[in-house]
Amino acid sequence: MEFVLYLLLGACAGVLAGLFGVGGGIIIVPVLVFSFTLQGFEPSVLTHLAVGTSLATIVFTSINAVLEHQRKGAVQWPIFAWMTVGILLGALVGAKTASLIQGPMLQKIIGVFALVIAAQMALDLKPKASRGIPGKPGLTAAGGVIGWASAIFGIGGGSLTVPFLTWRSLPMQQAVATSSACGLPIALASALSFMWLGWHETRLPAHSLGYVYLPALVGIAVTSMFFARFGARLAHKLSPRLLKRLFAALLFCVGLSFLI
């Protein structure tokens, strides 16, 4: 029954990845926390397991979303390249930061983040395009901050990368596409870090690779790889305003549940 949940979760995450340029982690992490709790996993490690597993699934989600966006010619590879330099270092530091936070406190931090993103999406708050694309040092610094935060929250960074790129005057479709590309190094570096940091943790359930739970990874990856392309196609055809508000309502409930 849990595996069916992982398949459905992967489908939702894939659509979100392609449609909004997010990796789906903002939904994957809370659902995995809930699922792992019901499965009786050790409370002290299950939040870190959810974050690490989420990041590992985003590797697969990002690949397919990027392929579809690249087919449309929307990914800005020079921006991606210089942001990735900072992303790799930031993701390593972020994973280490998350490992030092107790599970219940990490849940509260993720809950606050979910509420902030819900408010941003519901009210359609986004910075006005007031500046041009920064130089190589600026892109690298931005990538470092985004990579650090993404590793802590278990996300692909789209909820941070897209507003940053639109603020820097990149058209929305290109911002979403480039954000999807940036999600790959974020997820890869962070997931590997969580595997390494949890390698000798004795309280993890069977079939875990460090802080990555393999049954959930496989179930989510199977469907997310297909639905990411579907979401990317929708991003080039539909106005996502209503979907964003519905997504925001879901995030609000998720964030509240983590804080209560």
Side-chain angles (χ1 to χ4, degrees):
M1 187 63 190
E2 289 83 4
F3 192 73
V4 174
L5 172 64
Y6 299 146
L7 291 173
L8 292 173
L9 183 55
C12 293
V15 172
L16 293 174
L19 188 59
F20 298 123
V22 301
I26 195 66
I27 291 299
I28 292 174
V29 172
V31 175
L32 287 182
V33 168
F34 179 72
S35 175
F36 292 167
T37 302
L38 290 180
Q39 290 175 259
F41 291 177
E42 175 62 41
S44 61
V45 299
L46 69 81
T47 305
H48 297 86
L49 191 65
V51 172
T53 304
S54 170
L55 289 161
T57 66
I58 292 169
V59 173
F60 299 94
T61 306
S62 294
I63 290 172
N64 284 272
V66 171
L67 289 174
E68 188 62 30
H69 283 300
Q70 175 57 20
R71 195 171 68 83
K72 304 284 188 180
V75 180
Q76 301 301 296
W77 292 110
I79 295 174
F80 161 83
W82 286 104
M83 288 190 71
T84 296
V85 174
I87 281 169
L88 294 176
L89 179 59
L92 295 174
V93 176
K96 181 62 178 177
T97 303
S99 72
L100 298 174
I101 302 172
Q102 295 295 320
M105 178 56 68
L106 185 58
Q107 286 189 29
K108 286 182 168 53
I109 292 172
I110 293 171
V112 170
F113 179 72
L115 291 178
V116 170
I117 298 303
Q120 184 266 325
M121 297 190 86
L123 301 174
D124 201 22
L125 300 174
K126 48 191 174 185
K128 294 181 180 179
S130 57
R131 301 188 180 185
I133 299 297
K136 296 172 184 177
L139 289 173
T140 300
V145 173
I146 291 169
W148 174 79
S150 299
I152 294 175
F153 300 129
I155 61 173
S159 53
L160 303 173
T161 308
V162 172
F164 169 71
L165 292 177
T166 53
W167 173 51
R168 289 295 189 158
S169 303
L170 199 67
M172 178 56 77
Q173 286 189 345
Q174 292 181 10
V176 169
T178 306
S179 171
S180 292
C182 289
L184 182 56
I186 288 173
L188 189 58
S190 302
L192 290 173
S193 298
F194 271 90
M195 287 181 186
W196 175 65
L197 290 167
W199 194 259
H200 298 294
E201 175 58 66
T202 58
R203 294 168 292 181
L204 292 170
H207 313 301
S208 295
L209 199 60
Y211 287 125
V212 174
Y213 186 55
L214 296 179
L217 170 61
V218 172
I220 294 171
V222 166
T223 49
S224 68
M225 293 178 72
F226 171 77
F227 281 92
R229 293 197 174 193
F230 175 70
R233 292 191 189 103
L234 286 179
H236 291 273
K237 294 180 179 179
L238 301 177
S239 170
R241 187 172 183 180
L242 175 60
L243 291 174
K244 277 188 176 182
R245 290 183 175 174
L246 292 173
F247 184 42
L250 177 60
L251 284 183
F252 181 79
C253 294
V254 166
L256 217 54
S257 70
F258 269 27
L259 294 175
I260 295 175

